[in-house]
Amino acid sequence: MTTTETELKALMLASQDGDAAAHRVLLERLSRHLRAYYKGKLAKIGRGVAEAEDLVQEAVLAIHLQRHTYDPQELLTPWVHAIARYKLIDFLRRNRASVADVPIDEANEVTANDDHLSAESSFDLRRLLKRLPEKMQCSIEAVKLEGLSVAEAARRCGISESGVKVNIHRGLKALAALITQRIQT
């Protein structure tokens, strides 16, 4: 086991035991790793840093919501990588990425089956979303949860496409802050 694996796994186990400080450190450390991962993957298909940052927020949120599903008998980094990979696949699907745009080693993943959040986690996410302003909530639900395009979300939510993008970016940051706040209390 690598030093990084050992340290991250210790933080995850402490997090599962209710240690809010360990959970915060875990999410911060994973954010750095995920940021590098997504920047590298998205650069290969000509995508930008803002999209990588959105994916980091989505993956961190999923890790937070799904931490109870992590099996302490297993390595942590493959579990995190699976979440990160599925978030990338979802991103490619949502953005209607052509298989031709995806590096050959990633092409088979575009059609892979998606992971499904448990009912408990979905309920937790819905409860957090209700704390956001209506247009922000609508934008996130339409694009991130239902897989609509930004244009489709703009029509549904009654705002501009740039408004949808801003709402998603700010909303994901707000959700991350809400999660951090819940962990600290």
Side-chain angles (χ1 to χ4, degrees):
M1 222 185 297
T2 66
T3 304
T4 301
E5 172 67 29
T6 305
E7 291 170 357
L8 291 174
K9 186 171 182 172
L11 289 168
M12 175 57 97
L13 296 176
S15 172
Q16 285 181 321
D17 287 338
D19 183 336
H23 188 64
R24 222 174 10 265
V25 171
L26 173 69
L27 295 181
E28 289 168 8
R29 296 264 316 270
L30 289 176
S31 291
R32 288 196 302 266
H33 290 286
L34 291 166
R35 193 167 287 110
Y37 170 76
Y38 287 128
K39 281 181 180 178
K41 294 291 186 188
L42 293 177
K44 290 179 184 179
I45 59 171
R47 300 296 179 127
V49 174
E51 292 165 315
E53 195 58 38
D54 285 347
L55 282 167
V56 169
Q57 295 297 325
E58 285 184 46
V60 167
L61 180 61
I63 290 164
H64 166 73
L65 294 172
Q66 292 297 309
R67 71 183 181 275
H68 68 279
T69 69
Y70 170 66
D71 180 357
Q73 302 301 313
E74 302 294 328
L75 294 174
L76 176 67
T77 51
W79 182 82
V80 170
H81 178 73
I83 291 172
R85 193 179 86 236
Y86 283 123
K87 292 300 172 187
L88 179 61
I89 292 166
D90 287 345
F91 169 82
L92 295 172
R93 285 183 188 145
R94 277 194 311 271
N95 290 283
R96 314 260 192 286
S98 160
V99 173
D101 295 335
V102 181
I104 193 70
D105 61 331
E106 303 287 331
N108 65 332
E109 294 180 2
V110 175
T111 58
N113 291 330
D114 195 2
D115 61 334
H116 298 285
L117 297 176
S118 69
E120 175 186 325
S121 295
S122 297
F123 176 72
D124 195 31
L125 179 58
R126 296 280 180 204
R127 198 168 54 226
L128 286 171
L129 278 171
K130 287 183 189 231
R131 296 180 63 188
L132 298 177
E134 184 180 330
K135 297 290 184 184
M136 197 174 281
Q137 189 181 122
C138 180
S139 298
I140 291 171
E141 286 176 345
V143 175
K144 300 296 183 182
L145 299 179
E146 296 174 26
L148 298 180
S149 70
V150 171
E152 292 166 327
R155 284 190 295 278
R156 176 186 284 181
C157 300
I159 55 178
S160 68
E161 289 182 31
S162 62
V164 169
K165 291 176 185 178
V166 168
N167 277 333
I168 291 170
H169 184 72
R170 290 180 181 165
L172 291 174
K173 284 187 182 252
L175 286 172
L178 288 170
I179 289 167
T180 301
Q181 183 181 36
R182 283 181 60 190
I183 293 168
Q184 291 174 347
T185 56

